[in-house]
């Protein structure tokens, strides 16, 4: 379960930025190709934040689809999962996005 490691690094980064203030809410963007299970991440989040300034904070996870470029038919198409296949049937694709993991915003106070 790689959610634990990912969540730990997110919480570490957030707590560092919060600089002692209480964290109320975190908005996270996790590309579909990260293969993160949001429910698992929520679970890990509760464990990881326990005893930190982010304890009890709300975690919002957005999962934008990725984007790939097909060299076979020279078009871009959305990636909704880890199946790297163009609608034309070609597997000769280049992943343009979908592996990003960003902290979009956080509320502290
Ligand atoms: Zn194609």
């Amino acid at each position: 379960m790689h959610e634990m490691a990912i969540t730990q690094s997110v919480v570490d980064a957030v707590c560092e930025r919060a600089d002692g203030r209480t964290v109320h809410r975190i908005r996270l963007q996790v590309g579909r190709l990260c293969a993160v299970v949001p429910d698992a991440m929520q679970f890990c989040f509760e464990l990881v934040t326990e005893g930190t300034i982010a304890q009890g904070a709300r975690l919002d996870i957005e999962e934008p689809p990725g984007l790939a470029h097909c060299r076979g038919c020279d078009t871009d198409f959305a990636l909704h999962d880890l199946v790297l296949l163009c609608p034309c049937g070609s597997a000769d694709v280049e992943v343009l996005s979908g592996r990003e993991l960003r902290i979009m915003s956080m509320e502290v106070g």
Side-chain angles (χ1 to χ4, degrees):
M1 190 162 78
H2 70 165
E3 281 85 357
M4 187 56 98
I6 294 173
T7 309
Q8 182 72 61
S9 59
V10 167
V11 171
D12 285 350
V14 163
C15 287
E16 200 183 306
R17 301 277 161 78
D19 198 22
R21 291 167 298 177
T22 306
V23 180
H24 298 294
R25 186 174 174 183
I26 300 166
R27 245 181 74 216
L28 209 60
Q29 204 175 62
V30 184
R32 297 280 171 97
L33 303 190
C34 290
V36 159
V37 181
D39 280 355
M41 199 162 190
Q42 294 282 2
F43 177 74
C44 294
F45 184 74
E46 278 182 35
L47 293 180
V48 168
T49 54
E50 206 175 286
T52 72
I53 54 172
Q55 184 168 357
R58 197 174 132 189
L59 179 66
D60 292 334
I61 303 171
E62 283 173 32
E63 292 179 284
L67 190 70
H69 179 79
C70 175
R71 294 187 191 95
C73 64
D74 199 27
T75 48
D76 293 346
F77 60 98
L79 289 172
H80 296 284
D81 49 38
L82 289 166
V83 181
L84 301 180
L85 270 183
C86 177
C88 80
S90 171
D92 187 12
V93 300
E94 181 191 353
V95 176
L96 302 174
S97 71
R99 294 195 174 104
E100 65 279 1
L101 190 141
R102 292 191 202 112
I103 299 168
M104 302 301 286
S105 66
M106 58 189 250
E107 285 172 23
V108 295

